[in-house]
Amino acid sequence: MTATGSTSAARARTAAGRGGALGVGVLGVGRIGRVHASTLARSIANARLVGVADSLGDRAVAVAEEFGVRVWRSVEELLDDEEVDAVVVASPTPTHARYTVMAAEREKHVLCEKPLALDEATAADAAATAQRAGVVLQLGLMLRFDADVVRLRDAIAVGKLGDIEIFHASLRDMAPPSAAYLSDCGGLMSDAAVHLLDLATWLVGPVESVSAQGARMRSGIDSGGVDLALTTLRFASGALGMLENARGASYGAECRVEVVGSQGSAKIERARSGNLEWRTPGAATVDLVADFLEPFAAAYRSEVGAFVDAALAIGPCRAGSDVAVAATRLSAAAATALEAGTVVQLDRVAAT
Ligand SMILES: NC(=O)c1ccc[n+]([C@@H]2O[C@H](COP(=O)([O-])OP(=O)(O)OC[C@H]3O[C@@H](n4cnc5c(N)ncnc54)[C@H](O)[C@@H]3O)[C@@H](O)[C@H]2O)c1
C-alpha cells in the first residue's frame, strides 16, 4: 500500500508531536511481545517504549518493571494514551484484526504479529480501516527482514540465479507450543506456513495454485490438528514450490530456504546456536537452537526498526497491508487444500 495524503499527514503529526521519537505501546507480552518490547526499549534510537498491556496483569507488571515503563490495564487504556503513537499487537491471533481496527480508528500506527486474520475478508476490512485512517499497518513477517533473505531476493531480482524453477523451504519447531496457544492459533497453515507462503511469493512471484498434505506424527501431544504438513505450490511463472512445516522436530528448531534457478541455486539454513564447533576424536558437533528467537534475533530487530521508520515517514513500509491480506489469502487457501485434499486455484497472489 502506498502512502496516501492522510498517511503522510498522520506520520508528520507523529514525528512533530514526539520530537522525532515514536511512542510505542506493546499489547501482549508473552513470547514474542516481550522480544519486541525489549527491542523498543533498548535497540531503536528513534522509538520510545511507553508501556505494555497484557491480559495477565502480573506478566505486564513484570515486563514493565524490567524496562521501566508504564502498565495499562486494558487495550482501551493503552490506545487512549496520548503518548502512544503506535502499537505492537502481539496478543493471540484471534485478537489481531480487532485490535488493529481499534488502533487505526484512534490513528495509531500498527505492527501486527502474523496473521492479521484467518480469513481474507476480515484481514481486508482491517487493512481498509488502516488505510482510511492513514496509518501504517505492518505485518510481523520477520523473514522479510533477515539480511540473508534480503540479499537472496536482491540477487534473484537481478537474475543471478536465472529463471527460478524450484523453491524449497522448511520451518521446524523443536516442540509444539502450549495447548492454550494451539487452541486459537488457527492451525499450522495460518500460524506457521504463512511465513513460508509469504516468502515464496516475495522471492519467486505470484502463486497460481496450492495443494497440501498433513499428518499427525506426535501422538499423545495435543498439537492442534496436524503437526506436519507438506504444501506444494505452482507459481504463475511455471516454477514449483515445496514447503514443510513441522511442530516438533525433537532435535531442535530449524529453518531452511533453497531457491534453484536455471543458472544456479542458493540456500539459507538456520539451526545453529552460536558459531562454536566442538571437535573431539572422530566427531565434530555444533549446538542447535530450541526456537527461532536466537537465529532471527537480528531480523526481529530490523522488522521493528523498519516499522518505526515507516511510522515516522522516514522509510518505506516493507510488509504492509497488501502483504498482510495476501498472506491471509494464501494461508487460508493452503488450509482449505489441506482440509479438503484438493488443489486450490488462486487469483495470482503476488507479494509486494
Ligand atoms: N513472527 C513471529 O516470528 C512470531 C513468533 C511467535 C509468535 N507470533 C505471533 O504472535 C502472537 C503471540 O504469540 P506468542 O507466542 O507470543 O504467544 P504467547 O501466548 O506467549 O503470548 C501472548 C500474550 O498475550 C496475552 N493475551 C492474551 N489475550 C490477550 C488479550 N485479549 N489482550 C491482551 N493480551 C492478551 C497473553 O497473556 C500472553 O502474555 C501470535 O499471534 C503468534 O502467531 C509471531
Side-chain angles (χ1 to χ4, degrees), residues 27-33 54-56 59 90-93 95-96 99 113-115 140 142 181 191 195 300:
L27 187 48
V29 280
R31 239 175 0 149
I32 200 68
D54 194 291
S55 57
L56 289 179
R59 183 172 286 177
S91 43
T93 293
T95 64
H96 290 183
Y99 288 169
E113 264 308 338
K114 58 77 198 163
M142 84 295 190
Y181 179 98
D191 188 49
H195 281 296
Y300 286 121

Side-chain angles (χ1 to χ4, degrees), residues 108-185:
K108 313 282 181 179
H109 305 287
V110 184
L111 169 55
C112 180
E113 264 308 338
K114 58 77 198 163
L116 181 52
L118 300 183
D119 66 281
E120 188 181 346
T122 305
D125 277 353
T129 305
Q131 190 171 27
R132 273 196 305 277
V135 296
V136 169
L137 167 57
Q138 182 180 315
L139 197 71
L141 294 166
M142 84 295 190
L143 291 176
R144 284 183 177 236
F145 297 87
D146 178 88
D148 291 331
V149 172
V150 172
R151 261 184 85 193
L152 176 55
R153 170 161 153 110
D154 291 347
I156 291 171
V158 297
K160 188 176 166 102
L161 301 181
D163 295 329
I164 304 307
E165 295 167 352
I166 302 170
F167 175 82
H168 258 222
S170 61
L171 209 48
R172 297 177 188 153
D173 282 308
M174 184 169 181
S178 68
Y181 179 98
L182 287 164
S183 70
D184 60 11
C185 72

Side-chain angles (χ1 to χ4, degrees), residues 167-303:
F167 175 82
H168 258 222
S170 61
L171 209 48
R172 297 177 188 153
D173 282 308
M174 184 169 181
S178 68
Y181 179 98
L182 287 164
S183 70
D184 60 11
C185 72
L188 196 53
M189 291 303 174
S190 297
D191 188 49
V194 64
H195 281 296
L196 302 182
L197 290 162
D198 174 68
L199 195 63
T201 56
W202 197 50
L203 293 180
V204 183
V207 169
E208 219 168 58
S209 67
V210 55
S211 59
Q213 299 231 30
R216 193 148 174 179
M217 303 303 286
R218 297 280 174 271
S219 57
I221 298 176
D222 178 7
S223 47
V226 301
D227 54 21
L228 176 64
L230 294 180
T231 306
T232 51
L233 306 174
R234 182 176 289 280
F235 295 90
S237 64
L240 296 177
M242 168 66 86
L243 318 179
E244 176 204 319
N245 285 91
R247 287 286 194 201
S250 71
Y251 60 85
E254 185 167 21
C255 176
R256 290 188 202 177
V257 177
E258 185 181 18
V259 181
V260 184
S262 56
Q263 289 172 31
S265 74
K267 187 162 67 176
I268 298 169
E269 284 190 4
R270 291 293 158 73
R272 288 177 63 159
S273 173
N275 295 310
L276 263 180
E277 181 175 306
W278 309 95
R279 294 198 177 202
T280 50
T285 56
V286 297
D287 299 319
L288 300 177
V289 293
D291 62 37
F292 293 116
L293 298 184
E294 181 189 332
F296 291 115
Y300 286 121
R301 279 197 300 276
S302 169
E303 163 185 274

